[in-house]
Amino acid sequence: MNIQNILLGHGSGGKMSHELISELFLHYFDNQILQNQTDSAILTVNNNKLAFTTDSFVVDPLFFPGGNIGKLAVAGTVNDLAVSGAIPMYLSAGFIIEEGFPFQQLKEIVKTMGEEAASAGVKIVTGDTKVVNKGKCDKLFINTSGVGVLPDKFAGISLGENISAGDKILINGEIGAHGMTIMAARNDLKINAPIASDCACLNMLIKEILDAGIQVKFMRDATRGGVATVLAEMVKGKKFGLQIYEKNLVVEDGVRGMCELLGFDSLYVANEGKVIMVVPQNQAEKALKILQNHPLGKKGTIIGEITTENPGKAWLNTVIGGKRIIDMLSGMQLPRIC
Amino acid sequence: MNIQNILLGHGSGGKMSHELISELFLHYFDNQILQNQTDSAILTVNNNKLAFTTDSFVVDPLFFPGGNIGKLAVAGTVNDLAVSGAIPMYLSAGFIIEEGFPFQQLKEIVKTMGEEAASAGVKIVTGDTKVVNKGKCDKLFINTSGVGVLPDKFAGISLGENISAGDKILINGEIGAHGMTIMAARNDLKINAPIASDCACLNMLIKEILDAGIQVKFMRDATRGGVATVLAEMVKGKKFGLQIYEKNLVVEDGVRGMCELLGFDSLYVANEGKVIMVVPQNQAEKALKILQNHPLGKKGTIIGEITTENPGKAWLNTVIGGKRIIDMLSGMQLPRIC
């Protein structure tokens, strides 16, 4: 790998991140669990399966319509566990705080974390606080790691090994709200858009789907890199492809306006409360109903399906009748959105 | 709590940290596991006990004699698991990297983490990378969280509930090396001291002690806040006290010189490879021999004992025949040593 310096794109969740992960971390931390590159690591401890995951949050600004860094830190890790089929149980919280940070803001963030954890049914059981000199970090960074119990019957979800042609692809609602909200909230842009982050813990929604007996074959939350990156990753190197329909993607007017104004493609914009699910064709309508009956899935849609054609490729059927390939985000679309 | 702004002292591991933890985190993240305030959270999952812990590392400089931030990040979390009596098994690694950070340095740090994890018998199974704009963090911060299996028979170690008068207090060697090495390594000091960090994974050493049937009643690694803070915490609010003997504390000449030069008390200086153990009186000599036969415990000593006198207090018997109380570090002795 011929990298001289780390660039913003290496943290984007797109192609450059993948390159860094593959050639650096997978090389030196070589083990099968990590090689699987699932949202959560799947551990076997005393014959029980556990899911284990970590995320650092550096979002700027710390407070935004729909949430704050604390809500994001809880929801992000809860969702990484939940999309693995696990029941999220325990979180850690590591704070890196800039000297001089207002205590009231920290209190509000910590309070939000407590509330969000309680409503998701998880406990924050261990933590760490580091304070660095003024100017040595930007206000506040939070790391959360999480542990969940993974029922044996759901152990295959995160690898997606059972995906087959004809399976339907669902999402629980509108896309792009988180990323565009963060953009709008940045002081230097002075945009006052009527949009809010979709940041939310999805574990209860996912539990309803699984409890209903839907044979979920794959799930992933569409965060950094957006829906496009999840779709591109899902088919990469596989014997199947997929196609989705632009008309089935819900984009709120405010988000669409922001995207047009700033030249973003909503398919690549981060969400923090959206899960993409692959389910058998004959269960798709049932799954959709469950989504739509849940407050976090009201605008859920079936966005497309797995295909035998174009193996390894994800295609978008546009509203004007065109077709284009969905590739992974290359480099950085938007820094520090989570 | 009447705090206006977060100060460096809130991340010191001393009194101000304790205040922040008690009044903020314990309040909003209220649950019994966290309330126990053990080095690792003790979880019960499917009737098995697990230890779970997290630490963020912000050490400055990133490279120092005896290690680098990567070695520290692995050893710190492995040790937090091991002193709980758990067998460390899995780590997560979350990187926050400043844009422009040299790839070669990152590679060296990641390589060290891989080697350190391998030699400690743990796997780094999940990770996350965030890159922030130049100037928004200081080079590199790493969070590691860890999961270990806790045999039922060792579940009481982290709470120290079986400590009783007469028990002996041991340490596996010289103190203060890590903190003073970091001080010496800071460019702005231009001190060239012949000392190196003691940074090391202690799980194999601890395993030897436990495997030998030593009934360890309490263990803690003496990191931020040093040996003094561990001792003060150990007796705080308890019906027993403790006394230690200054003559039994090993301080290397280089560390002693640095401490004298800069006005530090080695008892409060951070270590990254030192564990304090409380064992029954009749097993103390056996435990000491095991320590001394291990490469990481060659300079181990019995430093003192648990007493019925002075409940709640830790006393130091000085070499010149005096006695003084050992209190928790108040505020910040030395920022960013881990």
Side-chain angles (χ1 to χ4, degrees), chain B residues 17 48 60 78 95 122-123 131 152 178 194 215 237 249 292 298 302 307-308 325 330:
Chain B
S17 293
N48 295 302
D60 171 42
V78 162
F95 297 82
V122 299
K123 292 191 169 97
V131 182
D152 281 331
H178 179 73
Q215 285 156 21
L249 291 168
Q292 290 174 342
K298 275 186 230 164
I302 298 172
T307 60
T308 46
I325 234 170
S330 172

Side-chain angles (χ1 to χ4, degrees), chain A residues 114-131:
Chain A
E115 290 165 354
E116 193 66 16
S119 78
V122 298
K123 292 190 169 98
I124 301 172
V125 292
T126 185
D128 177 56
T129 308
K130 293 281 161 30
V131 182

Side-chain angles (χ1 to χ4, degrees), chain A residues 139-184:
Chain A
K139 303 182 285 290
L140 174 67
F141 300 147
I142 302 177
N143 175 284
T144 49
S145 300
V147 173
V149 173
L150 179 61
D152 280 331
K153 61 182 169 181
F154 301 140
I157 290 177
S158 59
L159 285 172
E161 286 174 340
N162 296 321
I163 297 177
S164 59
D167 290 343
K168 293 291 183 182
I169 305 165
L170 282 75
I171 191 166
N172 62 314
E174 79 291 353
I175 66 171
H178 179 73
M180 284 301 107
T181 300
I182 296 301
M183 281 301 278

Side-chain angles (χ1 to χ4, degrees), chain A residues 164-207:
Chain A
S164 59
D167 290 343
K168 293 291 183 182
I169 305 165
L170 282 75
I171 191 166
N172 62 314
E174 79 291 353
I175 66 171
H178 179 73
M180 284 301 107
T181 300
I182 296 301
M183 281 301 278
R186 289 207 178 138
N187 285 330
D188 42 356
L189 277 180
K190 312 241 185 266
I191 293 174
N192 204 344
I195 55 176
S197 169
D198 60 339
C199 175
C201 286
L202 297 172
N203 56 324
M204 297 304 184
L205 171 71
I206 289 171
K207 186 176 184 299

Side-chain angles (χ1 to χ4, degrees), chain B residues 13-87:
Chain B
K15 270 186 191 165
M16 289 174 69
S17 293
H18 277 76
E19 195 184 63
L20 193 69
I21 291 167
S22 304
E23 303 194 27
L24 183 65
F25 300 118
L26 294 184
H27 178 71
Y28 289 113
F29 300 160
D30 187 31
N31 62 74
Q32 188 54 51
I33 301 171
L34 186 67
Q35 297 286 352
N36 287 338
Q37 293 194 58
T38 45
D39 265 310
S40 293
I42 308 302
L43 315 178
T44 305
V45 179
N46 294 332
N47 290 320
N48 295 302
K49 286 203 166 55
L50 298 177
F52 178 38
T53 190
T54 193
D55 245 326
S56 293
F57 295 85
V58 299
V59 65
D60 171 42
L62 297 176
F63 296 87
F64 47 82
N68 63 40
I69 188 174
K71 185 173 181 184
L72 206 56
V74 171
T77 291
V78 162
N79 291 346
D80 278 346
L81 294 171
V83 298
S84 300
I87 301 155

